[in-house]
Amino acid sequence: MTHDAPSLSPKRLGVLLLSAALAAPALAAASSTPSPAFGEARLSDTLKRLAPGADARVLERAAQAWHCAQPEAERLAVIDFARSANEPRLWVFDLAEERLLFEELVSHGRGTGDEQARWFSNTPESHQSSLGLFRTLNSYDGSNGYSLRLEGLEPGVNDLAYERAIVIHGADYVSEEFIAANGRLGRSFGCPAVRQEVAYPLIDSLKEGQYLFAHYPDDDWVEGSDFLACTPSLRLARQIDVGGVSLATAYTAQDDSASDAEWLASRHRE
């Protein structure tokens, strides 16, 4: 496969490649054979061994999403929003060294609930947390101190995270002392905020191309998540880049796939 096709625009070439992938699932599966350090089953077992107190189903789904993304990342963070905010529910794993680096309290958004998280969205100004798989970007010093930008990877679910300024940062309302004084952990504007004492090392462990998986047993999201379904065509789409336009982008943007795009959006509608 070559990128030098002068008679075709990058978008048109992407559409043709997509059609070929969908018409030949066996070829797509063969072309998308992942080569991370972990297979899905081994990664799932490793996560459960390193964090035996975490929900095994959540860790299995985190391994599934990570494996579908086919990252070269060495770190994976997992949030279980089904747990009380007053309990540790964020785990950061070093996959290269097979170590658990952090097991921490983490906030959810004010619009997501009180002690228990209940509502999630991708909507700006909702002050709600988002679910799904995120890729970490750069760290920076901002209004909340040392912070880490996140790129949401799931269309309609978390892909406005950057626009919404959903970042990891430290906060004084994330502490055992705050829980003791108020009966619950403090809440953010949608950011997964952590204890100020661990913000620097935790962010440094995750910045620049690592992954965060935020889970809640929401049926619509679980059934519709790209990364939990992970079809062969999706895997192929995430590997091919045509003239600077990824095939995954072509898949959701091509003019003749409006019905597919509408169907995908309906799967994530609240």
Side-chain angles (χ1 to χ4, degrees), residues 42-106:
R42 184 188 164 207
L43 176 57
S44 177
D45 290 343
T46 298
L47 298 182
K48 287 185 278 189
R49 172 174 58 81
L50 295 176
D55 188 311
R57 178 179 58 177
V58 173
L59 297 181
E60 288 166 2
R61 287 177 174 167
Q64 190 175 354
W66 185 92
H67 192 259
C68 180
Q70 299 187 30
E72 296 179 356
E74 295 184 346
R75 306 283 168 81
L76 170 65
V78 179
I79 298 175
D80 182 0
F81 277 128
R83 285 197 169 192
S84 162
N86 296 349
E87 303 174 15
R89 54 181 181 169
L90 164 65
W91 297 266
V92 178
F93 300 93
D94 184 327
L95 304 181
E97 300 292 333
E98 297 192 22
R99 293 187 299 143
L100 177 65
L101 299 180
F102 298 94
E103 182 174 6
E104 287 291 328
L105 297 167
V106 63

Side-chain angles (χ1 to χ4, degrees), residues 6-248:
S7 61
L8 294 175
S9 68
K11 180 179 178 181
R12 179 58 181 163
L13 185 54
V15 171
L16 291 177
L17 286 169
L18 171 65
S19 300
L22 295 178
L27 176 59
S31 300
S32 61
T33 302
S35 55
F38 289 92
E40 183 181 328
R42 184 188 164 207
L43 176 57
S44 177
D45 290 343
T46 298
L47 298 182
K48 287 185 278 189
R49 172 174 58 81
L50 295 176
D55 188 311
R57 178 179 58 177
V58 173
L59 297 181
E60 288 166 2
R61 287 177 174 167
Q64 190 175 354
W66 185 92
H67 192 259
C68 180
Q70 299 187 30
E72 296 179 356
E74 295 184 346
R75 306 283 168 81
L76 170 65
V78 179
I79 298 175
D80 182 0
F81 277 128
R83 285 197 169 192
S84 162
N86 296 349
E87 303 174 15
R89 54 181 181 169
L90 164 65
W91 297 266
V92 178
F93 300 93
D94 184 327
L95 304 181
E97 300 292 333
E98 297 192 22
R99 293 187 299 143
L100 177 65
L101 299 180
F102 298 94
E103 182 174 6
E104 287 291 328
L105 297 167
V106 63
S107 71
H108 55 247
R110 294 180 181 181
T112 286
D114 294 324
E115 178 184 340
Q116 297 290 338
R118 300 184 186 281
W119 305 283
F120 301 88
S121 82
N122 194 36
T123 306
E125 307 303 326
S126 67
H127 296 169
Q128 292 182 333
S129 299
S130 296
L131 300 175
L133 190 66
F134 301 78
R135 182 185 293 115
T136 67
L137 301 174
N138 61 299
S139 59
Y140 68 100
D141 287 299
S143 59
N144 289 306
Y146 196 51
S147 305
L148 178 62
R149 292 187 172 96
L150 300 172
E151 176 191 11
L153 301 178
E154 303 203 29
V157 177
N158 63 19
D159 61 340
L160 296 183
Y162 188 92
E163 174 185 327
R164 296 176 61 204
I166 301 301
V167 301
I168 298 177
H169 63 82
D172 58 7
Y173 53 78
V174 181
S175 67
E176 295 289 353
E177 292 76 18
F178 191 98
I179 295 172
N182 297 277
R184 61 163 172 77
L185 197 71
R187 298 167 299 166
S188 67
F189 282 0
C191 296
V194 298
R195 292 187 301 126
Q196 290 180 322
E197 295 84 350
V198 301
Y200 269 87
L202 188 148
I203 287 171
D204 282 344
S205 76
L206 283 174
K207 65 184 180 181
E208 298 173 357
Q210 310 305 315
Y211 283 79
L212 166 67
F213 179 73
H215 182 276
Y216 186 83
D218 177 272
D219 289 342
D220 288 341
W221 167 66
V222 170
E223 293 174 9
S225 170
D226 290 346
F227 290 93
L228 295 181
C230 202
T231 60
S233 59
L234 173 64
R235 287 183 173 178
L236 180 62
R238 295 194 181 281
Q239 289 187 78
I240 299 175
D241 184 88
V242 182
V245 179
S246 72
L247 189 55

